[in-house]
């Protein structure tokens, strides 16, 4: 699915610094992510949209940016990514969804 990042230089600064300082922990974390991704039948595009939704639900701007960038690289349209924020309105509320939409638009506009 493209979530594996082997080079800490590819990460945002805080995550990259963590990956360099705690290489064993970072590698175990990456392995866990890969195992979770391969544990079931969900298609890659759906996995990306689910991960985006989870990032929105937790209010993680950095994770939203990351999953939007990866989604765009994987061929998911900006409209599909933005729709995830719209779908979050009944669950997380209008303010949180609008914040998420602005984070998505940081990467799509």
């Amino acid at each position: 699915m493209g979530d594996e990042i082997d080079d800490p230089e590819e990460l945002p600064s805080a995550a990259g610094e963590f990956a360099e300082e705690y290489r064993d922990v970072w590698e175990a974390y990456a392995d866990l992510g890969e195992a979770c991704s391969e544990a079931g039948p969900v298609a890659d595009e759906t996995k990306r949209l689910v991960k985006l939704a989870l990032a929105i639900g937790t209010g993680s701007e950095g994770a939203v940016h990351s999953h939007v960038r990866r989604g765009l690289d994987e061929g998911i349209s900006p409209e599909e990514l933005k729709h995830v924020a719209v779908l979050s309105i009944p669950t997380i509320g209008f303010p949180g969804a609008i914040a998420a939409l602005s984070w998505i638009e940081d990467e799509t506009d």
Side-chain angles (χ1 to χ4, degrees):
M1 187 171 93
D3 278 351
E4 298 77 29
I5 299 175
D6 296 319
D7 183 3
E9 296 289 321
E10 297 178 32
L11 298 167
S13 62
E17 290 169 12
F18 181 90
E20 286 181 9
E21 187 167 348
Y22 301 99
R23 177 60 91 170
D24 291 343
V25 175
W26 179 259
E27 289 175 5
Y29 175 69
D31 290 345
L32 175 61
E34 184 176 341
C36 290
S37 182
E38 294 173 1
V42 176
D44 286 347
E45 181 175 315
T46 302
K47 288 177 195 175
R48 178 64 59 214
L49 296 173
V50 168
K51 287 184 168 197
L52 175 59
L54 292 166
I56 289 170
T58 61
S60 177
E61 181 177 1
V64 169
H65 285 160
S66 176
H67 288 297
V68 169
R69 283 192 304 270
R70 293 174 185 186
L72 291 169
D73 288 347
E74 294 163 1
I76 300 173
S77 73
E79 294 76 20
E80 290 171 300
L81 296 165
K82 291 176 185 179
H83 189 208
V84 176
V86 173
L87 290 168
S88 73
I89 293 171
T91 305
I92 68 169
F94 193 75
I98 296 306
L101 185 59
S102 75
W103 301 335
I104 292 168
E105 290 173 343
D106 287 344
E107 302 296 330
T108 60
D109 293 347

